[in-house]
Amino acid sequence: MSRIVVAVDGPAGSGKSSVSKAVARKLGYAYLDTGAAYRAFAWHAQNAGVELEDAASVASALPSFEFSEATDPDHFSVRVGEKDVTDAIRKPAVTGIVSLVARVPEVRAALTEVFRSIAAATERDGIVIEGRDITTAVAPDAQVRVLLTASEEARMGRRSAELTGYSAQVVGEQLKARDRADSRVVDFMTAADGVTTVDSTELDFDETVDAVIAVIRTNL
Ligand SMILES: Nc1ncnc2c1ncn2[C@@H]1O[C@H](COP(=O)(O)OP(=O)(O)O)[C@@H](O)[C@H]1O
Ligand SMILES: Nc1ccn([C@@H]2O[C@H](COP(=O)(O)OP(=O)(O)O)[C@@H](O)[C@H]2O)c(=O)n1
């Protein structure tokens, strides 16, 4: 069976996770959130007591990283060893350190292999994989490649609406700082050759899902 891969990249708050999950659900595809893996590794590295500023120390936590992620869009969960970290990895304590671990080349190489194995193991007809470097590094040969963007203002507004209890200004500043740090490692602000941009600034959620499905239909 030839499995369809839909690769989705974009900056924080552009709608990658929620839109990709909805697209997967509608098409009966699997769904893989690669940011969740980087977050889970950051959580693990911190618990392992590594020196987060030191790349070699961060990489030393890789062999003990027992990661698993469900790919059913209706039952999403992330585990490290026996522990369910689905909620813990969304906390600001993890969001604030994830870029430090994501910049380490050994970490990127190891997680890229994990993503390819998960994609190869899915039993569904297709998989939507979302992150920052899926269209360019993880699955550059994907049949469908999308860059999901939205204005900084829209992204900050969406993220702060989601994180109730935190000041909109602090959430916005953290999002901008993380995008700045991440974009030094991977370019997810401009579409690579053959990648279709979907700008959701003026679209509501359902319209964005439909726009991504339209790109998929055009490419298959
Ligand atoms: N087109 C849209 N219009 C309005 N809200 C959206 C849209 N796309 C996504 N959202 C909302 O924005 C928030 C951030 O989306 P998320 O999927 O977490 O982004 P990302 O994974 O890119 O960080 C979520 O609450 C989501 O429901
Ligand atoms: N393919 C990917 C996915 C995420 N990441 C890293 O993981 C972090 C969390 O990704 P995420 O997709 O959960 O972040 P949000 O866009 O949901 O805020 C990013 O800030 C990047 O540092 C990455 O480097 N490469």
Side-chain angles (χ1 to χ4, degrees):
M1 180 191 71
S2 71
R3 186 173 301 107
I4 294 151
V5 176
V6 178
V8 179
D9 286 328
S14 60
K16 296 179 305 298
S17 313
S18 52
V19 171
S20 299
K21 203 183 275 182
V23 167
R25 200 175 280 137
K26 280 198 168 187
L27 299 179
Y29 289 1
Y31 160 71
L32 179 59
D33 175 349
T34 64
Y38 282 96
R39 287 172 178 273
F41 181 68
W43 180 91
H44 169 71
Q46 191 166 47
N47 282 336
V50 309
E51 183 55 61
L52 289 166
E53 302 283 347
D54 176 1
S57 177
V58 169
S60 74
L62 278 169
S64 56
F65 183 48
E66 287 173 27
F67 168 76
S68 62
E69 181 173 339
T71 58
D72 178 346
D74 289 316
H75 299 101
F76 180 73
S77 69
V78 183
R79 284 179 180 274
V80 176
E82 292 298 304
K83 186 156 175 66
D84 186 325
V85 296
T86 315
D87 295 330
I89 61 173
R90 301 283 150 204
K91 299 256 164 28
V94 171
T95 305
I97 61 166
V98 63
S99 300
L100 287 173
V101 306
R103 67 183 179 168
V104 176
E106 290 90 335
V107 173
R108 304 202 69 81
L111 291 189
T112 295
E113 283 313 309
V114 170
F115 303 146
R116 290 180 181 152
S117 309
I118 294 175
T122 180
E123 286 170 1
R124 300 196 181 206
D125 294 343
I127 184 164
V128 185
I129 313 178
E130 55 94 358
R132 301 287 189 290
D133 62 344
I134 314 306
T135 62
T136 52
V138 174
D141 300 330
Q143 292 91 328
V144 186
R145 293 152 77 218
V146 175
L147 182 72
L148 188 57
T149 61
S151 70
E152 193 169 82
E153 202 186 354
R155 296 189 290 108
M156 284 167 51
R158 290 173 192 170
R159 191 40 60 87
S160 56
E162 210 176 33
L163 290 173
T164 50
Y166 298 95
S167 116
Q169 199 195 343
V170 171
V171 171
E173 288 307 321
Q174 281 178 346
L175 181 137
K176 281 198 272 185
R178 186 154 59 88
D179 274 349
R180 263 199 305 277
D182 289 337
S183 57
R184 282 188 214 112
V185 180
V186 175
D187 181 10
F188 49 82
M189 299 304 274
T190 46
D193 271 359
V195 174
T196 305
T197 300
V198 172
D199 184 341
S200 73
T201 311
E202 304 293 335
L203 305 180
D204 68 20
F205 182 77
D206 290 338
E207 289 168 337
T208 310
V209 172
D210 289 344
V212 172
I213 290 183
V215 177
I216 296 173
R217 302 248 189 260
T218 308
N219 282 274
L220 294 185

